[in-house]
Amino acid sequence: MSRIRIFDTTLRDGEQSPGVNLNKMEKLEIAKQLERLGVDVMEAGFPAASEGDFQAVKLIADTITNVSVTALARTRKEDIDRAYEALKNTPHPRIHVFLATSPIHMTYKLKMTPEQVTNQSVEMVKYAKERFPEVEWSAEDATRSDWPFLAQLIEHVIDAGATVINLPDTVGYTTPEEYGKMFKYMKENVPNIDRVDLSCHCHNDLGMAAANTMAAIENGATQVEGTINGIGERAGNVALEEVAVALKIRGDRYGFETGLKLDEIKRSSDLVAKLTGMYVQANKAIVGRNAYAHESGIHQDGVLKNAETYEIITPELVGVSSNTLFMGKHSGRHAFKDKVNAFGVEMTEEEIKAAFKNFKILTDHKREVTDDDIYTLIMEVKTEQSAIEKYTLETFQVNYGTQNITTATVSLNTPAGETIQTAATGNGSVEALYRTISELIDYDQKLLDYQINSVGGGKDALAESHVQLSVEGEAVNGRGTAQDVIEASANAYINAINRYIMKTQANKEQVVNG
């Protein structure tokens, strides 16, 4: 079969999802999992956007060795230079430059003529090629562009040194028939098109991202760009797991394959959902919890007799295992370490010690600890940035009843090493808890979003909470876990405050260091 290259943009386009704000350690853990998944290219970020994005891209580029790491840049020298500084130590660097080509973008956003867009694209591709062996050029809003103009422009940027041409459906506007015809047109009307990989990048505004992507593959695309779980701006991007499994299951129809390790899909999906706070809908294709569940009696009967009657995908294909080996309070550190190794997660002895301590605390309250529980505990340790003094939860108590005013009492340890305590009331346990914490912390705070989810099932399931706060006018995310949902909620709120402190300190250090 012919090979389709997978370009993952979870860390760039995916992180642009409203409400998502990953720290660099979280980005690094996602990057490591993408490497285990077997993507061909990962877009680590947009280095020119901020110092934090630059540092995250550089950390990933300095760490990842088996995957090509790329970064986004506008067609500007300063963006290209910034990307080069972030990527110069990675074994397989590439740059991704873009410029809009549709009449509406050129006229109203860029205020440039088609000739100016052509000249700037050619000049910046040449400049990028002096620094990068691989240069991808994207025609932003390609699907609303004039095809003859676009074909001529593509020919010029290929001559300038581009090695990949990307034709994105930036606003999710096109249909499968239209998108396929555009790729076919470029294959037939760009004389040097055979010198490059032709890439597709589909957004899901009209719910057609997967169908559009498959149409592009049928008509000459050799690279697919997308994200894990389909996260991204607005309605998101095409979900890479859907494309990869569709090519696998319908190999008879498409005749293409990817290099993805399909049994790493579920773990990749879970990690991205956990760290971004964007949980997967139950009926999501490939990775939703209902994807392999059968409620109808007719379906159940058919599956029991022959799974293929209603299951076209086996759960094991994408890494969903029904044979979970539970661990409990009598499990030792050696067994715990073996489990960490089985996940493929690299941990220092100190990290294993911290995660194992949290595991033993959990086993005091939960008889059987699942793989999902352990993975959550591991990620809590791996993604925690502990280089600052921070607020920690000492004790809390919430008095709640249908006939009583809800009251919360909270005791916190401060970054200065003091212990502070107060009480407050609210309309419900979480409001009382958060009002109490906010009174103890001397920042202007506003709760923007709150979520609570269970890790796995059962009445003793581990709780995981995500919040988004506005702290001094800046949006920050927080994540916390505990067996008790109220404690998980408190941990998430305090985690958001600590992230704000860390970000503020990093900004101050940047100013001091020039």
Side-chain angles (χ1 to χ4, degrees):
M1 287 187 177
S2 298
R3 171 81 176 271
I4 297 294
R5 300 179 74 184
I6 296 296
F7 178 115
D8 182 279
T9 184
T10 303
L11 293 168
R12 199 277 300 171
D13 205 332
E15 207 217 357
Q16 292 174 198
S17 304
V20 174
N21 184 10
L22 300 169
N23 65 39
K24 67 179 183 180
M25 299 311 297
E26 290 168 336
K27 289 182 179 181
L28 181 61
E29 288 308 313
I30 291 175
K32 289 179 178 178
Q33 179 57 35
L34 293 175
E35 187 175 36
R36 288 190 286 269
L37 178 62
V39 303
D40 297 287
V41 184
M42 70 174 72
E43 190 167 43
F46 189 178
S50 68
E51 179 62 22
D53 219 15
F54 171 84
Q55 292 297 338
V57 173
K58 187 177 187 306
L59 177 63
I60 291 167
D62 291 349
T63 305
I64 299 300
T65 58
N66 296 321
V67 174
S68 177
V69 180
T70 189
L72 189 68
R74 293 165 294 187
T75 49
R76 298 180 182 180
K77 288 185 177 180
E78 59 269 28
D79 279 26
I80 296 169
D81 290 342
R82 194 67 168 156
Y84 175 74
E85 286 302 313
L87 296 171
K88 63 184 180 182
N89 294 327
T90 192
H92 312 288
R94 70 151 70 180
I95 191 168
H96 180 194
V97 294
F98 70 97
L99 192 60
T101 56
S102 65
I104 190 170
H105 275 248
M106 290 190 291
T107 302
Y108 295 103
K109 186 183 77 172
L110 300 178
K111 301 187 184 304
M112 295 172 66
T113 66
E115 183 180 10
Q116 288 172 323
V117 167
T118 299
N119 291 339
Q120 184 165 318
S121 295
V122 168
E123 182 183 353
M124 289 300 100
V125 167
K126 286 180 179 178
Y127 186 78
K129 188 64 174 178
E130 294 172 359
R131 290 153 182 77
F132 293 89
E134 298 286 334
V135 177
E136 176 169 338
W137 178 81
S138 283
E140 186 184 8
D141 206 23
T143 53
R144 294 191 294 175
S145 299
D146 177 70
W147 289 4
F149 162 68
L150 188 53
Q152 188 178 56
L153 175 51
I154 290 171
E155 181 181 355
H156 291 320
V157 295
I158 293 173
D159 285 338
T163 55
V164 181
I165 298 297
N166 181 35
L167 303 177
D169 184 25
T170 304
V171 294
Y173 175 78
T174 198
T175 67
E177 182 183 13
E178 292 169 343
Y179 202 48
K181 284 182 177 179
M182 184 177 69
F183 276 81
K184 184 178 180 181
Y185 180 90
M186 298 307 161
K187 291 285 287 184
E188 293 175 349
N189 290 276
V190 179
N192 52 3
I193 198 73
D194 60 330
R195 288 161 46 186
V196 297
D197 272 315
L198 197 53
S199 185
C200 59
H201 179 122
C202 295
H203 282 260
N204 204 37
D205 298 69
L206 296 179
M208 291 190 282
N212 289 338
T213 298
M214 303 309 287
I217 291 172
E218 287 183 293
N219 287 276
T222 54
Q223 177 177 281
V224 168
E225 303 186 11
T227 60
I228 302 300
N229 296 341
I231 66 173
E233 291 193 88
R234 305 183 312 279
N237 294 263
V238 68
L240 289 174
E241 65 273 9
E242 294 178 13
V243 175
V245 174
L247 290 176
K248 170 68 175 179
I249 299 300
R250 292 309 310 271
D252 61 317
R253 172 69 175 80
Y254 294 105
F256 296 97
E257 62 181 359
T258 71
L260 293 190
K261 299 172 184 174
L262 299 184
D263 59 358
E264 288 288 346
I265 284 177
K266 187 62 167 64
R267 182 69 64 200
S268 303
S269 171
D270 289 347
L271 179 62
V272 170
K274 186 183 303 295
L275 298 187
T276 62
M278 296 188 69
Y279 290 98
V280 174
Q281 67 197 60
N283 64 332
K284 165 76 170 64
I286 312 302
V287 292
R289 70 170 182 266
N290 290 353
Y292 309 100
H294 303 277
E295 180 72 18
S296 163
I298 295 174
H299 286 211
Q300 291 173 348
D301 180 63
V303 169
L304 288 172
K305 292 174 178 175
N306 186 327
E308 292 184 8
T309 53
Y310 288 101
E311 282 188 359
I312 62 170
I313 310 164
T314 64
E316 291 77 15
L317 178 69
V318 297
V320 177
S321 175
S322 57
N323 298 320
T324 301
L325 178 63
F326 292 99
M327 296 179 67
K329 64 189 300 181
H330 299 297
S331 300
R333 181 168 173 169
H334 182 74
F336 184 83
K337 193 171 182 178
D338 284 345
K339 182 66 72 175
V340 172
N341 292 334
F343 289 142
V345 179
E346 296 178 2
M347 300 186 77
T348 65
E349 285 300 318
E350 283 301 310
E351 289 172 335
I352 290 176
K353 182 178 179 181
F356 183 68
K357 178 182 176 182
N358 293 339
F359 164 75
K360 296 302 283 187
I361 292 172
L362 181 60
T363 60
D364 287 338
H365 306 281
K366 190 174 185 189
R367 188 169 61 88
E368 292 182 333
V369 180
T370 68
D371 285 1
D372 286 341
D373 293 328
I374 295 172
Y375 195 71
T376 297
L377 297 177
I378 290 170
M379 285 302 122
E380 285 292 304
V381 171
K382 289 293 292 181
T383 59
E384 179 64 25
Q385 294 178 307
S386 56
I388 61 164
E389 297 297 326
K390 60 186 71 175
Y391 286 97
T392 58
L393 181 65
E394 177 73 16
T395 60
F396 78 95
Q397 181 173 331
V398 178
N399 295 319
Y400 175 82
T402 56
Q403 302 299 318
N404 302 319
I405 296 175
T406 304
T407 304
T409 303
V410 175
S411 178
L412 295 180
N413 296 320
T414 73
E418 302 172 339
T419 300
I420 53 177
Q421 179 176 304
T422 194
T425 61
N427 296 318
S429 54
V430 174
E431 182 182 1
L433 178 73
Y434 282 2
R435 184 174 290 174
T436 307
I437 295 173
S438 67
E439 289 185 8
L440 289 171
I441 297 174
D442 192 23
Y443 292 117
D444 179 45
Q445 308 153 53
K446 181 180 179 181
L447 180 65
L448 303 177
D449 188 40
Y450 166 78
Q451 299 178 51
I452 190 76
N453 292 274
S454 66
V455 178
K459 63 183 181 181
D460 61 350
L462 193 65
E464 188 169 56
S465 178
H466 282 259
V467 300
Q468 185 177 54
L469 303 182
S470 172
V471 183
E472 299 294 337
E474 184 172 341
V476 290
N477 290 2
R479 187 180 75 255
T481 58
Q483 193 173 25
D484 179 80
V485 294
I486 303 301
E487 185 178 356
S489 301
N491 290 339
Y493 195 101
I494 295 167
N495 180 250
I497 296 294
N498 289 332
R499 288 187 184 219
Y500 173 78
I501 295 172
M502 174 169 284
K503 191 171 185 179
T504 302
Q505 288 189 3
N507 290 339
K508 288 180 180 178
E509 291 173 4
Q510 181 184 347
V511 171
V512 171
N513 295 331

